[in-house]
Amino acid sequence: MSLARKRKTDRAESPALPHAIQRTASEDEKRRSPIPRVQSAAIHREHITSYAVALGLTVVAFAVRFWRISHPNQVVFDEVHFGAFAGQYLRREYYFDVHPPLAKMLNALAGWWVGFDGQFGFDQIGDNYLTANVPYVGMRSFCAILGAVTVPLVYAIMRESGYPVAIAAFSASLILFDNGHITQTRLILLDGALVLFMALSLFTYVKFHQQRYREFTPQWWFWLLATGASLACTLGCKMVGLFTFMSVGAAVIWDLWGIMDIKRGHTIQYVYKHFFYRVIGLIIFPFLIYLSFFWVHFKILKYSGPGDSFMSPAFQETLQGNELLLNSQEIRYYDTLTIKHKDTKQFLHSHPEFYPLRYDDGRISSQGQQVTCYPHNDTNNHWQVLPTREIPETGRGRVVRHNDVIQLLHVNTNTLLLTHDVASPLMPTNQEFTTVSPADESRRNDTLFQVQLTDAHEGEPWKSLSGHFKLMHMPTRVVLWTHASPLPDWAFGQQEVNGNKNALDRTVQWFVEDIIADGTGNDFRNRTTHVEPKKPKKRSFIKKFVELQILMLQHNAGLTASHPYASDPVEWPFCLSGVSFWTDNETNQQIYMIGNLLGWWICAVAVSVFVGIIGADMLARRRGLDPIEDGIRNRMYRNTGFFIGAWAFHYFPFYLMTRQKFLHHYLPAHLASALVAGSVLNFILVETVNFPISYATPRTRLRPAVRARLSSSAWVGVIVLLAIVIASWLYIAPLTYGVTLTGEQVNARKLLSSWTLHFEAKVTHDV
């Protein structure tokens, strides 16, 4: 066998190499070929132009976000909340919020840097900063910097995705000159940080994807971990950062699906390696960073504050100065108590009046003594704890403990709390609560209740204030519960109490507000106890973290109250309604958060055009036609598809939410739609040519093979669209910056009838 034939046979029998390292000799030769001087100069000029445009975009972004940033010198919209949270960090007082802490900690850091002492309360919209000497301009400036930096980052995403300078600048300009982004990122809010880190996540993933032919190298690992860190920071600002995880996660799954293709010659071990490294970089590493935000959060907020009441007693007792830690006392049998519902903060109450024989719906009641909830302190709120077993005369044996079975005696009427299988007044599915005389031994079992303390161990003492508990009826296993619906006039409009069959309902929690008297009838304060200084208790970080995560999700879902400026997701892409941030009746000034109307419509049209292009291409290929070149199709499916996926993941989940929704929730999705708009514009206007591989350096080969060049008509198209966007921004700008307008000028800027602007002029009609 000849040497040449043997080499050919060896190549045929050898296993296929990974696609990343399959190269022909001619390709290697081309990679080593020197770049012609003319082409090198052209590339150099392109780089200089690109950097110059990026610098120009950045300068303008800073200018439009910092102009009149000191106006108004009053608290605006949600600065009420997020400015207050910054102050609580500086005072180190615990607060509760539905959002993770990173962006709020950054705002607090900015406040500390510019000299804010945290004493200003941000109590209500319109409070004056100057009279309180608050360095609000510095705090707003930090948010404005984050918003300004987002603009060149959008430009970088487009450039690294292979788009020409003009197209990348167009996408960046849609964010630069957007009134909504400007309004939201020049105030003490969270969205500047959220949108920046969301954009950074997309950028770092694009850079990571460029390293797909340099897998497992230091550069590959750097961009993988950078993507993970960016995702963690996005989630650390707001829970909607989960949508960014979903966006990148979908792209990763698509990437892994391609790697798994056996036609590429990859072994299953190779696939597993890619999978587990991505798990490390995009799940485990971000989770550890996300945990660290809360570790710092808990370390800073070590004093009692306004958020205590949201947390469990065990959590509250870790805070210095907490009322539960300082004043909670063990409850003993025969103590007289007042009992409060944890959520509605109303007292368990009874009075001599009885339930009516018939309710309005015709149902029959027990005609027993009414048991209700009452908002005010009253002697009819007094209940005495009675034992159901023998207890010692003195000592620790008289302490009521977790899972003890007790009776509650209503002191004023000398009757025992009872529930039975009779429907409650307002909820036929729940049991009625009433009372019965202690002399009625036949009803004794119906008066037995078990005290179940929250997160307690067996034998743990029941305490006032800190001992949140459920009161479970022994025979029927229903739990004492109340809800906000008032009873009719026969119960004086007081709150209904009934037996809830769902013992896992989080609203069945109660606590002892006060111990009125001990077992001898003396004032409880006369009880002799050995008082020691109480130090904050220890609780593991993981328990605190899990508790806070659950509460954040629950309260976020519970934000269902109506709001005059709430809107539905279907309105957002078209800017059908905005949000009034601030008004001044004396000067006729207002800040109305609304997007750049024409800019948002361009983005909405671009998303629709992309869907149309892909649909038409799929139908054509189904019929054997090939209307789009492979390189261009790959870019549309992969790169633009990544952008459209980010838009969809940041937009459509809001349709599933029942909480309050506002226009600013669309800003991350709008950024993604601006990327789609640039990509679609590139497809429509730009003549695409193959980038000569013989002139490609190892660096340029990491970018898409299909490069673009703008024709004269394409330049005209881009310039016209930019002019439209800038003109729309300028026209709406007085509503963004709080400039004084006459009524007629306000009317003129009400571009859609659905906008709810203030200070409109009355329109008169001639008869």
Side-chain angles (χ1 to χ4, degrees):
M1 182 183 294
S2 67
L3 182 60
R5 185 177 178 184
K6 183 176 185 302
R7 287 175 178 170
K8 182 177 180 181
T9 303
D10 289 344
R11 285 197 301 270
E13 294 176 351
S14 63
L17 294 173
H19 179 71
I21 58 174
Q22 287 181 352
R23 291 195 304 266
T24 64
S26 60
E27 285 178 333
D28 285 338
E29 184 65 29
K30 289 176 182 178
R31 287 171 62 86
R32 289 192 294 268
S33 298
I35 301 175
R37 238 174 238 183
V38 175
Q39 183 69 18
S40 177
I43 293 174
H44 182 65
R45 286 195 301 271
E46 182 184 4
H47 288 333
I48 292 177
T49 302
S50 181
Y51 292 138
V53 170
L55 179 61
L57 290 169
T58 305
V59 170
V60 178
F62 272 85
V64 300
R65 279 154 179 79
F66 273 83
W67 187 65
R68 287 173 60 92
I69 197 170
S70 62
H71 179 78
N73 56 15
Q74 300 172 7
V75 176
V76 176
F77 194 55
D78 275 351
E79 287 185 335
V80 165
H81 304 298
F82 303 120
F85 295 150
Q88 280 152 356
Y89 275 118
L90 297 176
R91 299 194 303 271
R92 308 191 68 176
E93 295 175 354
Y94 189 80
Y95 72 87
F96 174 78
D97 184 41
V98 298
H99 301 300
L102 176 61
K104 292 171 290 188
M105 289 194 294
L106 292 176
N107 286 343
L109 180 63
W112 172 81
W113 183 261
V114 297
F116 179 45
D117 59 8
Q119 297 306 311
F120 183 73
F122 296 87
D123 296 321
Q124 58 186 358
I125 295 174
D127 285 354
N128 194 284
Y129 287 127
L130 297 181
T131 57
N133 197 29
V134 178
Y136 71 101
V137 174
M139 298 177 71
R140 286 179 180 173
S141 296
F142 172 75
C143 298
I145 290 171
L146 300 182
V149 171
T150 303
V151 172
L153 190 55
V154 170
Y155 176 80
I157 293 171
M158 295 298 288
R159 287 293 291 153
E160 292 299 326
S161 297
Y163 295 98
V165 170
I167 297 297
F170 173 74
S171 287
S173 296
L174 290 173
I175 306 300
L176 192 166
F177 295 110
D178 183 70
N179 303 78
H181 281 272
I182 294 170
T183 303
Q184 203 72 19
T185 59
R186 51 190 266 113
L187 300 170
I188 308 170
L189 304 174
L190 308 185
D191 297 270
L194 171 70
V195 176
L196 172 65
F197 288 126
M198 177 262 188
L200 189 62
S201 299
L202 301 184
F203 172 76
T204 51
Y205 184 74
V206 169
K207 292 293 291 184
F208 168 70
H209 190 66
Q210 288 178 2
Q211 306 298 320
R212 61 192 179 278
Y213 300 130
R214 294 178 175 178
E215 52 203 359
F216 315 133
T217 62
Q219 296 91 338
W220 186 90
W221 271 108
F222 173 81
W223 289 112
L224 175 65
L225 295 178
T227 303
S230 301
L231 289 170
C233 291
T234 308
L235 182 59
C237 294
K238 281 189 175 182
M239 280 295 186
V240 293
L242 285 171
F243 302 155
T244 312
F245 266 95
M246 294 162 64
S247 305
V248 172
V252 169
I253 291 171
W254 179 267
D255 187 27
L256 289 174
W257 184 254
I259 292 173
M260 192 181 292
D261 188 354
I262 196 171
K263 295 177 183 178
R264 296 190 180 186
H266 300 154
T267 65
I268 194 65
Q269 291 79 10
Y270 176 84
V271 175
Y272 286 156
K273 191 175 181 181
H274 269 279
F275 174 78
F276 287 115
Y277 283 0
R278 281 164 172 77
V279 168
I280 292 171
L282 300 177
I283 297 178
I284 297 175
F285 182 60
F287 179 69
L288 294 176
I289 295 176
Y290 183 70
L291 278 179
S292 71
F293 300 149
F294 286 89
W295 185 85
V296 175
H297 174 77
F298 293 141
K299 284 295 183 182
I300 295 174
L301 304 179
K302 67 176 186 176
Y303 296 110
S304 176
D308 292 14
S309 60
F310 292 92
M311 313 308 297
S312 69
F315 190 109
Q316 292 184 49
E317 289 183 316
T318 65
L319 301 171
Q320 295 182 27
N322 181 264
E323 182 184 5
L324 273 62
L325 179 68
L326 298 177
N327 300 323
S328 65
Q329 298 290 337
E330 291 180 349
I331 298 167
R332 302 181 185 182
Y333 285 108
Y334 298 106
D335 283 351
T336 300
L337 321 169
T338 57
I339 298 173
K340 239 181 184 180
H341 186 237
K342 179 178 179 290
D343 284 5
T344 62
K345 300 296 188 291
Q346 297 217 8
F347 291 97
L348 182 64
H349 176 92
S350 187
H351 43 239
E353 284 73 20
F354 296 94
Y355 294 114
L357 174 61
R358 288 183 182 274
Y359 298 127
D360 292 342
D361 59 4
R363 289 184 296 112
I364 303 295
S365 79
S366 68
Q367 286 189 282
Q369 182 173 304
Q370 296 175 16
V371 174
T372 62
C373 267
Y374 187 60
H376 308 295
N377 207 344
D378 185 274
T379 57
N380 277 328
N381 303 336
H382 294 178
W383 301 85
Q384 188 178 42
V385 184
L386 302 182
T388 58
R389 57 180 173 80
E390 290 188 8
I391 60 172
E393 293 292 330
T394 59
R396 302 286 297 165
R398 296 178 68 85
V399 174
V400 187
R401 299 182 183 275
H402 175 54
N403 285 335
D404 276 6
V405 178
I406 65 169
Q407 293 176 306
L408 285 178
L409 179 73
H410 187 245
V411 175
N412 279 6
T413 60
N414 194 36
T415 54
L416 294 171
L417 185 68
L418 171 145
T419 187
H420 49 182
D421 193 15
V422 175
S424 70
L426 299 182
M427 302 182 68
T429 58
N430 288 17
Q431 289 187 185
E432 173 194 270
F433 264 79
T434 183
T435 65
V436 66
S437 170
D440 189 351
E441 284 293 329
S442 66
R443 306 299 303 275
R444 183 178 185 278
N445 281 346
D446 288 336
T447 65
L448 302 182
F449 294 88
Q450 185 180 48
V451 178
Q452 297 182 354
L453 302 181
T454 303
D455 296 330
H457 57 77
E458 193 64 33
E460 183 170 331
W462 185 18
K463 294 182 178 180
S464 62
L465 297 174
S466 65
H468 289 183
F469 68 95
K470 294 184 289 189
L471 198 64
M472 177 169 283
H473 188 234
M474 293 301 291
T476 62
R477 311 305 291 175
V478 302
V479 288
L480 178 70
W481 183 63
T482 186
H483 58 103
S485 298
L487 290 163
D489 291 342
W490 50 257
F492 314 106
Q494 294 176 13
Q495 195 166 287
E496 184 193 36
V497 169
N498 63 42
N500 191 337
K501 297 175 183 177
N502 181 13
L504 299 179
D505 190 331
R506 66 180 184 87
T507 65
V508 297
Q509 300 286 327
W510 301 75
F511 65 95
V512 173
E513 168 82 353
D514 197 9
I515 303 176
I516 305 301
D518 61 18
T520 63
N522 296 323
D523 191 308
F524 166 72
R525 287 168 293 185
N526 295 328
R527 178 187 289 173
T528 57
T529 56
H530 180 61
V531 179
E532 294 181 357
K534 295 184 179 180
K535 295 181 179 180
K537 296 183 178 180
K538 300 294 184 181
R539 185 172 173 83
S540 73
F541 164 71
I542 293 299
K543 286 184 178 179
K544 294 167 72 174
F545 171 79
V546 171
E547 177 181 338
L548 183 54
Q549 296 302 299
I550 293 172
L551 286 172
M552 286 162 54
L553 292 172
Q554 288 175 342
H555 283 269
N556 205 338
L559 297 174
T560 57
S562 61
H563 191 283
Y565 293 102
S567 55
D568 293 322
V570 70
E571 304 174 40
W572 298 344
F574 311 102
C575 275
L576 297 185
S577 61
V579 184
S580 177
F581 272 25
W582 172 84
T583 59
D584 188 339
N585 294 325
E586 295 181 1
T587 60
N588 277 22
Q589 294 177 348
Q590 63 181 308
I591 293 177
Y592 189 73
M593 190 272 173
I594 194 70
N596 182 323
L597 186 63
L598 297 183
W600 284 42
W601 284 5
I602 288 171
C603 292
V605 169
V607 170
S608 301
V609 169
F610 172 79
V611 174
I613 291 170
I614 297 303
D617 180 62
M618 293 175 68
L619 287 172
R621 295 177 71 189
R622 195 71 173 170
R623 298 303 302 165
L625 303 176
D626 198 13
I628 304 177
E629 295 179 12
D630 288 343
I632 299 174
R633 179 183 294 111
N634 287 339
R635 180 187 298 234
M636 290 294 288
Y637 275 77
R638 295 177 183 177
N639 182 256
T640 316
F642 176 54
F643 297 154
I644 203 76
W647 171 80
F649 279 121
H650 285 87
Y651 176 54
F652 287 113
F654 283 101
Y655 283 93
L656 305 177
M657 297 183 186
T658 57
R659 60 150 293 165
Q660 292 173 349
K661 296 178 281 285
F662 299 93
L663 181 64
H664 61 256
H665 289 139
Y666 187 69
L667 292 182
H670 174 258
L671 184 144
S673 71
L675 300 173
V676 175
S679 179
V680 170
L681 186 66
N682 181 75
F683 178 83
I684 295 173
L685 294 182
V686 178
E687 176 187 0
T688 55
V689 296
N690 288 324
F691 190 75
I693 201 168
S694 59
Y695 298 151
T697 65
R699 179 183 179 189
T700 57
R701 280 180 58 84
L702 296 176
R703 294 178 178 171
V706 178
R707 304 294 288 175
R709 183 178 68 244
L710 267 70
S711 64
S712 299
S713 59
W715 270 106
V716 172
V718 172
I719 292 172
V720 168
L721 287 175
L722 278 175
I724 290 172
V725 170
I726 295 172
S728 178
W729 162 71
L730 281 171
Y731 195 67
I732 304 173
L735 303 177
T736 303
Y737 297 104
V739 176
T740 299
L741 295 174
T742 64
E744 290 74 17
Q745 290 173 326
V746 172
N747 289 354
R749 280 161 179 79
K750 188 175 182 178
L751 300 181
L752 298 179
S753 61
S754 54
W755 291 8
T756 52
L757 301 181
H758 297 271
F759 314 122
E760 296 179 43
K762 294 182 179 180
V763 179
T764 58
H765 301 281
D766 295 333
V767 179

